[in-house]
């Protein structure tokens, strides 16, 4: 909720000047952030221009090193009616205690455990347990912001490199529409069958993960699927801003 009274005038002005540099102009905003371990998300509220009717959206940048997605998102939301969550980090992994974690693996204890073990091989069992307990204690607070229920669509923008593509997701997807099989790094991943029906008409690759049968990896898309929340990941190769804008604009023009 809007709680401007929580902030001192100095903090408010400071945020205003930073946000002003980022967005040029902001018709209306409420300064706030939300965090889990070392993952801190700046929350940005934006409005559509007057007389433009747009559905209310939520947007997310969760990987700080996905610079193309960041640029596309920050530009895109200037004219959208949205609440956006933008990670305050320049690296993919974020600190937790004296180690690190992939912020898109912290949304379940099971997924976080696997990721913490991989990224912090020298941790003792008690360090692992302490980090997992810390995540358990605050996870719902962040999920309440990101997946609050209701019918608003949450769109997460990602960039990928060589190791990850739609091929990774195909075996664990309920449905797939591969219009660009030769461009596997460019795809939508959605959790809602109605959204899939619409996106599968697009000229792009799309997979539906409504009932994910693979082990829980701690990613937000798995939580969204489990909670029946409308969620779309938009993946393109790092550096291809034009393609990410094109696919995002297609989504905006066709999804309610
Ligand atoms: Zn990512």
């Amino acid at each position: 909720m809007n709680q401007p009274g929580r902030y001192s005038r100095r903090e408010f002005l400071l945020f205003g000047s930073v946000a002003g540099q980022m967005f040029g102009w902001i018709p209306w905003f409420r300064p706030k952030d939300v965090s889990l371990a070392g993952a801190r998300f700046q929350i940005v509220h934006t409005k559509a221009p007057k007389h433009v009717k747009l559905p209310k959206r939520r947007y997310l940048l969760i990987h700080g090193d996905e610079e193309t997605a960041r640029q596309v998102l920050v530009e895109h939301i200037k004219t959208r009616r949205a609440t956006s969550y933008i990670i305050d980090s320049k690296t993919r992994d974020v600190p937790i205690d004296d180690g690190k974690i992939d912020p898109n693996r912290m949304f379940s204890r099971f997924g976080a455990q696997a990721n913490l073990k991989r990224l912090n091989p020298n941790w003792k069992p008690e360090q692992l347990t302490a980090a997992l307990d810390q995540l358990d204690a605050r996870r719902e607070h962040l999920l309440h912001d990101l997946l609050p229920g209701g019918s608003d669509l949450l769109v997460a923008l990602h960039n990928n490199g060589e190791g990850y593509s739609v091929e990774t997701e195909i075996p664990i997807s309920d449905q797939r529409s591969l219009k660009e099989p030769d461009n596997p790094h460019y795809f939508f991943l959605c959790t809602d069958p109605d959204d899939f029906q619409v996106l599968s008409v697009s000229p792009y690759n799309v997979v539906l993960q409504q009932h994910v049968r693979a082990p829980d990896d701690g990613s937000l898309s798995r939580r969204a699927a489990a909670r029946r929340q409308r969620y779309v990941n938009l993946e393109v190769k790092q550096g291809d801003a034009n393609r990410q804008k094109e696919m995002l604009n297609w989504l905006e023009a066709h999804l309610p």
Side-chain angles (χ1 to χ4, degrees), residues 117-168:
K117 278 185 179 173
R118 192 169 71 76
L119 295 183
N120 309 285
N122 298 326
W123 270 12
K124 297 185 178 74
E126 52 270 31
Q127 286 176 288
L128 184 62
T129 301
L132 290 170
D133 290 348
Q134 182 190 148
L135 292 171
D136 283 354
R138 296 283 296 169
R139 181 180 295 115
E140 277 304 318
H141 177 75
L142 177 60
L143 280 171
H144 179 76
D145 266 36
L146 296 177
L147 306 175
S151 59
D152 294 349
L153 176 65
L154 173 61
V155 182
L157 274 69
H158 287 271
N159 298 136
N160 59 63
E162 288 308 311
Y164 175 71
S165 76
V166 74
E167 306 283 351
T168 317

Side-chain angles (χ1 to χ4, degrees), residues 228-243:
R228 306 242 180 283
Q229 185 96 32
R230 292 177 65 212
Y231 180 90
V232 175
N233 264 1
L234 167 51
E235 287 272 1
V236 310
K237 268 193 174 176
Q238 178 92 297
D240 202 344
N242 285 340
R243 176 48 101 85

Side-chain angles (χ1 to χ4, degrees), residues 36-73:
L36 179 59
R40 193 175 75 89
F41 298 88
Q42 186 188 9
I43 304 175
V44 181
H45 299 273
T46 46
K47 264 187 165 177
K50 270 186 187 168
H51 312 303
V52 179
K53 273 240 169 219
L54 293 172
K56 188 169 187 326
R57 301 278 200 231
R58 313 173 82 76
Y59 298 96
L60 172 66
L61 179 81
I62 195 165
H63 286 137
D65 64 338
E66 296 176 358
E67 201 48 48
T68 302
R70 182 190 298 273
Q71 288 168 14
V72 169
L73 179 60

